[in-house]
Structures are given as C-alpha cells and as structure tokens.
Amino acid sequence: MYDPTVARLTYRALLGRRRALILGALPLLLIVIAVVVRVLVGADDQTAADLLGGLALATMVPIIGVIAGTGAIGPEIDDGSVVYLLSKPLKRPKIIYTKLIVAIGVTMAFSAVPTFVAGLILNGNGQQVAVSYTVAALVASIAYAALFLLLGTVSRHAVVFGLVYALVWEALFGSLVPGARTLSVQQWALAVGHKVTGGELITSDVSLTTATVLLIAVTVLATWYAGQKLRTLTPTGEE
Amino acid sequence: MTTLNIDHVSRWFGNVVAVNDITMTIGPGVTGLLGPNGAGKSTLINMMGGFLAPSTGTVTLDGAPVWRNEQIYKHIGIVPEREAMYDFLTGLEFVVANAELHGLGAKAAQRALATVEMEYAQDRKISTYSKGMRQRVKMASALVHDPSLLLLDEPFNGMDPRQRMQLMDLLRRMGAEGRTVLFSSHILEEVEQLAAHIEVVVAGRHAASGDFRRIRRLMTDRPHRYLVRSSDDRALAAALIADPSTSGIEVDLAEGALRIQAVDFGRFTALLPRVARDHGIRLLTVSPSDESLESVFSYLVAA
C-alpha cells in the first residue's frame, strides 16, 4: 500500500525551497521563544506547559499540518501534474496512503521534534511536560495530516479552509463554545498527553477513550474518502 | 491491434452539453481530432483517457471499459495539454519516476528519452526547458511502457515550426509501428500534414469522419468570401466577374470595398493578383471575410 516513487515525488515537492522555509520558520520561532523564556523566567513547569500547549500544540502543529497535508497533493491537482500519477496502473487509495505517510512524517518532523526540543529547553522535561506534549503533537500530526490531505484533495482553497479550521475552530471557537472542544483534534491529542504526564499540567475536555476513538475514526475516514475522491478526479485542462 | 470505441457518448456539465452523442472508432495509425476551440475536444480526450465519466454512453479499449479502470493505463500513454510536470526534477528523474510508476526501471526511461532525442538535456531541470523540450519529455513519459494507444491533447500548441516537424515525424513513426495514435488540434493544416484519418468535432457534435482529402474538399469547395480594397474597385470588379471562378461581386459603398464570392478557391487566388497587375490596379486589402475556423466548421456541419 506504499509506493516509494509517489513518496519521493511528494517529499521533493513538499520540501522544495520555499515551502521548506515556511515549514522551518515556525519551529525555529518556537525554539527561539523557548530560549528567551528560559533565560528570562528560568525553568518553570507551568510556564513550560502553557507555552507548549498554547503555542506549540494549539498553533504550530495545526499550521504545519495544513502546509504538509494540503501541500502533499493540492499543488499537483491545481497545476494538473497529478495526471502523471493518475495515468498509471496504480490504485488510487495507494497514492493517497503514500501521500498520507509522507504528510505525517513531515508534520511530525517539523512539529513534534521542535516541541520536544523546546520542552527540554524550557524545563528539561520536568514533570514529563516535554515528552507529554511531544506525544500529543505526534498524535495530532497523524489526524491533521489525514484531515488536511483530504481537504487538499477536494478543495482548491484547501490552505484557506485549513487555516480557518486550525485557527478559528481550534483556537477561538473551541475556547468559547464548550461543545466545539469535543470535535477538536487538539483536545483529543491533549487527552493522550494527559495520560502520559499523569499530572494536572495537561488537561483535556474529552476522555481518553472518546479521544482515541475519534482520532482513529477521523484519520481512517478522511483517508478512505480522499482515496474515493481521487478515483473520480478529473485533471483540469488549459481551458 | 488496439481499437478505442466511443459509443454514443455524451457529457454535460450542469446545463451545458460539452459532448453530444458521439460515436467513433479509433484504430491503429494516426488519427487527428479536429475542431475549433471549445468544441469539446478536451472533454472527449478526457473521457477517452479515463479521467472523466461519460454522462451517457461508453468508452472501451479493446472491449475493456476505460473509466475507473486503472489497469487500462498499462496500454495507454497520455500527453496532457497542461505544462506543469514536476518542474523541480530533471528530465531523466521525471521519466524514471514515470517508468517506476509503471513498475519499470531506468532502462525503459533511457530508451524513451532516446526515442524523443532528449538525452542531451536529460540532466537539466525541467524548469529550464523550452516548450518543445517539455513536450518531448512529456512524450517520453507517455512512451516508457510502450503503450499501444497514445492520446495527445493539442500537442503542437505553442511549438515553433522545427519542433512541430520533429514531433510530427515522431508521431508518424508511432503510427507506422502500428500504434493507435490520437491527437487533437484546432488547426486544419496540422491535422492534414499528419493524419490520414480525421474526426471533426464541432460544438460537441461529431461533424465529419474519414479521409482528410474528402474533408479538405468539403472545406475548400464551399464558396469563399473576400473583402478587397483597391485603387479602382469598379474596374477590378468588372475584370474579375468575367472569370468563372467568381460567382458574385458587390460594391460596398459604405465600406469602400468589394465583397467577392469565389467558387473556385484555387483559381481565384491565382487570378486576383494577375488581373490587378494586368489592369494596373493596386490591391490595398485582400482579406478572407469568413475564414474563421468557426465558419469553416459550421459549413462542414451543414454539409
């Protein structure tokens, strides 16, 4: 179910110079902030948790997810080059599955790894804060990549919709409307993170069971549906 | 022997009918799909290539359905109209990737690049390629798996004459090898130079089919209209009407020009400059007034 050639093409498109710059900027910012906070405030578990929760998990992970998830297929559909994949005796779900693996890998590399590094800088993984948020970021990477890969397959405005979801729904709406939090990748990931720390530094509005079921359901359904959409996709012409 | 069967195929988008009940059979050799822009050629080629579902009717390749059948691409090579093609790769990397997606290796890619004579530039990034080089690399990517059917959407668009000739030679060779080659074009001369067999599509309908000479005759035998301005319109009109190649001349006073209807196209085009010279008349404007493709094609539809 994994095609190394599709993966190679996807990696090279995703990590092209301009996109790699955007992908690299946010993690770099997080680490710089972590260093500044550590120098100014010193090692503090609550500050570390606030920063990793507010900046890393709530903002950086979804944005990286949008860039990697939509970027893994959206540009190819937009410019029509996807026709070179579609005109091959390849199962469409295989193309989607491969691109999902790549998108997950890139999202994890550019969000979970810097989260861990920033956590170490902030309080040296005191109370398991760094590890917990890293696990949460890893879990969120999978769901975001699947969700935004689907968005990139069905919409030409995937990046806009993705950012609206990530920033408005997850960050704003979720904090105002309690019910919205149940349907938030961030909260699901926090539930997993909470399990890892065991403490009260990381809390979630959803139970671990609900979170796990929803994470798996969203990932599987999004991936399946993207595969179905690709089966009937018409590459656009010049007209 | 590969035969593509299009059987009573229609395709509409909302209320717009792009392809209207077309039935045709494309066999080995080079076939030209001719029609003005917007006639539905691309829609038809998309359906032939399995990228678009017909609203009604079926497209089959040697009996196997083309739509939703990925395995069919073992036999089809596609050269899309769009330029985009992973510009960050080199030509070689691109063709190798296409070969791998067919389960083939670098050897097949190298052979395809040799066929289109692009080995000399294979290590350059595609983003540095000219239009003609891109087209040839696209051809190579379509040929890696040695397909029996080759579909090309407007392959000559934007190519210079030399590139055009090279590609025509290549397609001729493909046809002579027994492959089924279908290309679309809105330029009659292109199709005429390359394809012995022509399918004409106008406004979504199948307007004509068959030998290019017959279609060419249909196109040239119709009355041609010209708008002519000269230093002495009336003297010119008098001299021209004496010849059987013209069937009517109107002196358009408002325009200050002659409207000439010619029935024998070849003879008239030779006659006009000779008559003008013999009578010492200067020709200021000679323009065919209904030479637009649309009018040529609509004449065909009426025929």
Side-chain angles (χ1 to χ4, degrees), chain B:
Chain B
M1 294 292 265
T2 300
T3 307
L4 185 68
N5 262 305
I6 293 103
D7 187 21
H8 293 286
V9 164
S10 297
R11 172 72 206 201
W12 48 84
F13 300 95
N15 286 330
V16 181
V17 180
V19 167
N20 194 345
D21 195 26
I22 288 184
T23 297
M24 56 173 78
T25 303
I26 316 289
V30 181
T31 300
L33 182 64
L34 179 67
N37 282 325
K41 298 190 298 294
S42 287
T43 306
L44 196 57
I45 286 200
N46 264 332
M47 290 192 284
M48 291 176 178
F51 297 126
L52 187 65
S55 300
T56 61
T58 54
V59 181
T60 52
L61 185 66
D62 288 337
V66 165
W67 174 243
R68 283 194 145 214
N69 179 8
E70 297 107 13
Q71 293 308 310
I72 207 80
Y73 295 113
K74 285 180 178 159
H75 312 288
I76 306 183
I78 290 184
V79 182
E81 188 185 0
R82 288 285 293 255
E83 287 285 294
M85 47 191 288
Y86 302 96
D87 287 15
F88 50 85
L89 300 177
T90 65
L92 178 63
E93 287 170 338
F94 177 72
V95 181
V96 167
N98 276 278
E100 286 175 359
L101 292 170
H102 276 293
L104 303 165
K107 227 180 187 166
Q110 207 61 65
R111 198 182 49 231
L113 280 162
T115 307
V116 299
E117 294 164 37
M118 272 297 286
E119 290 152 304
Y120 75 98
Q122 65 181 25
D123 294 320
R124 274 170 53 187
K125 283 246 163 74
I126 292 176
S127 53
T128 67
Y129 282 3
S130 72
K131 173 100 186 179
M133 294 163 88
R134 277 173 182 270
Q135 202 67 12
R136 275 193 279 164
V137 168
K138 282 200 244 173
M139 274 292 282
S141 79
L143 290 173
V144 277
H145 58 305
D146 204 13
S148 51
L149 170 65
L150 204 52
L151 295 175
L152 307 99
D153 197 359
E154 295 278 358
F156 302 105
N157 254 3
M159 287 184 118
D160 66 37
R162 197 176 52 87
Q163 296 167 340
R164 191 168 301 190
M165 250 169 51
Q166 280 177 335
L167 184 58
M168 282 190 180
D169 281 344
L170 183 58
L171 292 182
R172 253 183 230 118
R173 218 159 65 219
M174 298 288 143
E177 286 171 5
R179 287 177 222 266
T180 302
V181 178
L182 179 120
F183 73 98
S184 70
S185 171
H186 59 280
I187 295 162
L188 178 65
E189 282 69 24
E190 268 175 18
V191 178
E192 182 176 335
Q193 279 175 46
L194 184 56
H197 190 91
I198 298 185
E199 303 288 346
V200 184
V201 175
V202 182
R205 287 173 188 278
H206 195 189
S209 167
D211 181 77
F212 86 81
R213 273 174 237 101
R214 195 181 68 83
I215 290 172
R216 181 63 166 170
R217 208 162 38 243
L218 275 174
M219 287 189 169
T220 49
D221 281 1
R222 78 209 155 85
H224 283 61
R225 278 170 239 280
Y226 291 90
L227 184 92
V228 175
R229 289 193 183 86
S230 69
S231 56
D232 188 346
D233 284 349
R234 282 180 192 277
L236 182 65
L240 286 174
I241 199 69
D243 191 273
S245 65
T246 55
S247 62
I249 300 180
E250 181 199 341
V251 183
D252 190 331
L253 291 173
E255 278 282 320
L258 295 175
R259 292 187 183 280
I260 303 172
Q261 184 160 328
V263 280
D264 186 336
F265 168 74
R267 184 169 165 155
F268 175 77
T269 47
L271 174 78
L272 181 62
R274 206 176 55 235
V275 164
R277 196 189 54 215
D278 291 350
H279 289 79
I281 299 168
R282 281 185 64 196
L283 292 173
L284 307 173
T285 309
V286 178
S287 77
S289 53
D290 63 350
E291 279 300 280
S292 75
L293 263 171
E294 278 67 21
S295 73
V296 174
F297 284 120
S298 55
Y299 180 78
L300 258 189
V301 182

Side-chain angles (χ1 to χ4, degrees), chain A residues 5 76 79 84 88 234 236, chain B residues 51 82 86 98 100 138:
Chain A
T5 308
E76 270 168 292
D79 70 16
Y84 294 102
K88 302 294 183 296
T234 305
T236 49
Chain B
F51 297 126
R82 288 285 293 255
Y86 302 96
N98 276 278
E100 286 175 359
K138 282 200 244 173

